[in-house]
Amino acid sequence: GNLRLTGDLMSVSDVRVKKSIFLRSSSTQLKNVQSLKLYTYNFNSYWNFPQKHTPKMGVLAQELKEIFPANVMTLSKTRQLSEHVQDKLLVVEHERIFMEMVGAMKALAIKNKVLRAQIEKVRQLQRQLPEERTVDTLGTSALLVATFVLGLSFVTH
């Protein structure tokens, strides 16, 4: 069924109740999020949900299990409203996916910062060119930009 609330959904996150704390790699999180596939879908009619005809968006637990095994759990038996029993139904913990996306966004912010710095260096080089060279053909400027960016990308990796 649906869960509706008018307040905030909150969970304990105090460091005093946690142990074995390890920092996750945002670049790994980005790679994981890039592997996710999103689908639109409707529930089967035997689930008898009030909004069964309203398209939903999400992941497929079977695929998610390949990327984030800890985010998928198996229920032993589930009884739908229609008395149809589904054995070993897979369910997804969405909060962990959300947290993985936060890490992926951090990785993208870092990549964005690096790219902005590279663009600024190209602009500085462009300003240093003699006036007649800056009006030169687009091909020369593009070659300069490509050479600089490719050269710099080898240095940053």
Side-chain angles (χ1 to χ4, degrees):
N2 293 329
L3 173 66
R4 297 175 197 264
L5 59 117
T6 56
D8 295 323
L9 182 60
M10 301 173 76
S11 59
V12 176
S13 186
D14 193 307
V15 71
R16 296 173 294 172
V17 299
K18 298 176 181 183
K19 65 179 187 175
S20 302
I21 301 171
F22 300 100
L23 184 63
R24 297 283 313 273
S25 163
S26 59
S27 59
T28 301
Q29 291 171 314
L30 176 60
K31 182 181 171 190
N32 290 339
V33 169
Q34 287 174 317
S35 301
L36 292 177
K37 296 178 188 174
L38 288 178
Y39 298 92
T40 55
Y41 58 90
N42 292 71
F43 284 106
N44 294 328
S45 59
Y46 61 80
W47 275 92
N48 203 19
F49 288 144
Q51 298 98 359
K52 66 182 170 193
H53 299 296
T54 304
K56 304 289 182 195
M57 181 184 301
V59 295
L60 301 177
Q62 286 80 354
E63 290 181 359
L64 186 66
K65 195 172 187 176
E66 298 296 319
I67 304 165
F68 304 122
N71 289 31
V72 180
M73 291 160 267
T74 304
L75 301 178
S76 57
K77 286 192 178 182
T78 306
R79 186 176 299 277
Q80 291 85 349
L81 296 175
S82 65
E83 300 303 318
H84 177 82
V85 176
Q86 182 71 45
D87 194 28
K88 296 185 180 176
L89 192 67
L90 298 179
V91 294
V92 173
E93 185 181 349
H94 289 93
E95 183 181 4
R96 291 176 74 131
I97 299 171
F98 173 78
M99 290 299 166
E100 199 76 16
M101 287 190 283
V102 170
M105 288 174 57
K106 285 177 58 179
L108 289 175
I110 292 167
K111 287 178 182 261
N112 188 4
K113 185 177 180 180
V114 169
L115 289 172
R116 286 180 182 273
Q118 289 175 349
I119 289 169
E120 184 54 37
K121 286 183 181 182
V122 168
R123 286 182 179 151
Q124 288 173 0
L125 284 176
Q126 215 172 19
R127 285 192 288 271
Q128 292 173 3
L129 290 175
E131 185 70 27
E132 65 275 2
R133 297 284 312 241
T134 58
V135 185
D136 199 8
T137 65
L138 181 61
T140 304
S141 296
L143 181 61
L144 173 68
V145 169
T147 304
F148 178 77
V149 170
L150 288 174
L152 186 60
S153 69
F154 290 127
V155 172
T156 61
H157 292 295

